Every structure is written in structure tokens, then in C-alpha cells.
Amino acid sequence: MNKFILIAILSIIAVFAVSANPHKPADSEMDLESEFANDSETELGLDTGAEPGSEEPTPDTGAEETTPDAGAEPGAEESTPDTGAEPGSEEPTPDAGAEETGATGFEADCLKAHNPFRTMLGIEPLTYSEELAATAKKWANTLAGRNGLGHSKGRNRIGENLAMGTKNAYDTARLISLWTNEKKYFRNKKWPNVSTTGNWKDVAHYSQIVWANTKEVGCAVTENNKNKFIVCHYKPAGNWVGDLAY
């Protein structure tokens, strides 16, 4: 009988110990006060007639072999990355090299965030396409509903850049700057040997922006109660295996 009484007493003590020390719940949601950004790589075009992004390059694609810096950590910046710009050239300002397009408001913001990076390289500036903006808007609404990034399908060789950031923390220019900031890792060699990091995904947004054969862009921004999303569509698509950006 004493044995059973002892077991009962120990059980009661254990219950009180657990009640006094409850488990801390795991974090299941992002702190909405924090500021974050995320982007999703542009897709890799192929010269096989397949949809851009349908597969990644393999050793038999004919592209040059990637030769990243030995021992360099992914994303590490080299001291003198090959950006294609003249030595000593400065980063473009929002209006630097932008030609008059007649665009206003959101359209102008998109072109000002794109075209200086083309004009500083002597590449024809992009024109704005309402048709591309319409398809971008449709997909941006889908991403906002999902609250996550992912590429659309069946675009018939239309390029696509995506990004998201905390609502009210990212405007159009700042979202697009997530892509143009990749310039520091870019080198103008045949795809996919285009990044000083050894990974083409680290520069794929920027290379789509400066792809010389791309002529038009159309963008859309939308948001949900947490995040803001931007989608830009490009025609014709860039980032084709074995080709130079410019």
C-alpha cells in the first residue's frame, strides 16, 4: 500500500512541475513588424524550342564551363567583378541614361528602374507593354493569393522576374532593385557561365533586365495583408543557353 501511495505522490509532483514550466509554442508566423524580401530566379531559356525554364543546363548544352573562384563562398563578391561597364563607371541613378518614353506613374517607375542599367551598357532601352503588364497582373494576383513565389507556365517565351517584400516596406523601385543589385556578380559570358559566384541563379534577374534582344517589359504590383509582390514580364525572353546577354 505504501508503494502505491508513493507512486501517486510522485505523479502529482510531476503534473505540477509540467504546469509550472509549460512548453514555449513554436513560431509559426513571421513577425509582421520585421522587414524582409525574397526573390525567385528568372528561368533559363533554351535554344531547343522548349519553354524558358523547362530544364537547367547540362554539360552537353554547349555552354562554356563554369569556373567559379576556388574557395569562394556562394554570393561572395569579387574585388573587380566583370559587369561589362567601363572601368570606374558609377552605378546608374534612377534617371541616368533613361530616354524620354512619355510614360507616367507606375509605368515610368518601372522603366526608370530598368533602363539605366541598359543605357549605361549602350543597349536599347525597353519600352512598356500593356499586354505584358496584363499577364503580369494576373500572375501577381495569384502569388498574393498564395502568399509565395513561383513561376507561371505557358508564357510562350515570355521572360519573368518575381520578387516579394514586406507590405509597406517595399515600393516598386526597391523591389526591382532586388534584381538589379545582382549586377555586382554578373559577367557577360555565354549562358550559364554568367556569375562570379558560379551559380547563374545569382544573376538571372539582372541578366534578363540587360538582355539585348529583349525589347519590351510590363509589370504589376499587388499585395495581401502581409506582403507585396511584383511580377515583370519580358518579350522576347532572355537568358538563353549559349548566348551572350549583349
Side-chain angles (χ1 to χ4, degrees):
M1 178 63 69
N2 290 339
K3 179 179 179 180
F4 290 119
I5 292 173
L6 179 59
I7 292 173
I9 292 172
L10 291 175
S11 298
I12 293 171
I13 292 173
V15 169
F16 276 109
V18 170
S19 300
N21 230 349
H23 294 294
K24 182 180 179 180
D27 292 330
S28 58
E29 295 185 3
M30 183 187 315
D31 178 7
L32 297 182
E33 296 301 319
S34 66
E35 187 178 315
F36 88 105
N38 188 14
D39 53 14
S40 178
E41 72 275 4
T42 54
E43 294 159 318
L44 182 62
L46 300 174
D47 54 7
T48 60
E51 276 287 312
S54 60
E55 61 181 282
E56 292 192 10
T58 55
D60 60 355
T61 59
E64 296 179 6
E65 183 179 354
T66 302
T67 55
D69 252 0
E73 294 191 8
E77 182 180 356
E78 291 188 353
S79 57
T80 55
D82 180 8
T83 64
E86 288 293 324
S89 63
E90 298 180 355
E91 287 291 312
T93 58
D95 291 319
E99 296 184 4
E100 290 295 331
T101 62
T104 58
F106 178 74
E107 294 180 14
D109 290 343
C110 292
L111 291 176
K112 286 179 181 179
H114 280 79
N115 281 335
F117 292 87
R118 295 174 66 89
T119 55
M120 73 178 298
L121 296 170
I123 303 169
E124 182 181 356
L126 299 172
T127 59
Y128 200 82
S129 166
E130 292 295 343
E131 181 181 357
L132 293 176
T135 59
K137 181 64 173 177
K138 183 177 180 181
W139 190 241
N141 289 340
T142 299
L143 296 180
R146 295 178 179 178
N147 196 37
L149 296 177
H151 281 294
S152 59
K153 304 298 181 183
R155 293 191 311 280
N156 192 24
R157 301 192 184 186
I158 300 298
E160 183 173 76
N161 275 357
L162 312 173
M164 63 184 287
T166 303
K167 181 180 178 180
N168 299 327
Y170 285 80
D171 60 12
T172 301
R174 193 175 181 196
L175 285 170
I176 294 176
S177 75
L178 297 172
W179 307 333
T180 56
N181 285 344
E182 298 169 355
K183 175 180 180 290
K184 59 182 173 287
Y185 304 126
F186 178 76
R187 57 186 177 188
N188 191 33
K189 294 189 175 183
K190 292 182 179 180
W191 260 82
N193 189 30
V194 289
S195 177
T196 59
T197 69
N199 186 348
W200 61 267
K201 293 182 179 182
D202 293 335
V203 299
H205 302 97
Y206 171 75
S207 59
Q208 170 59 87
I209 288 172
V210 298
W211 199 266
N213 288 339
T214 298
K215 305 301 181 185
E216 298 176 281
V217 63
C219 303
V221 170
T222 191
E223 60 188 35
N224 56 29
N225 62 345
K226 294 181 179 180
N227 301 311
K228 181 175 288 186
F229 298 80
I230 187 169
V231 176
C232 287
H233 281 173
Y234 303 85
K235 183 179 181 179
N239 298 351
W240 290 86
V241 171
D243 290 348
L244 294 171
Y246 50 85

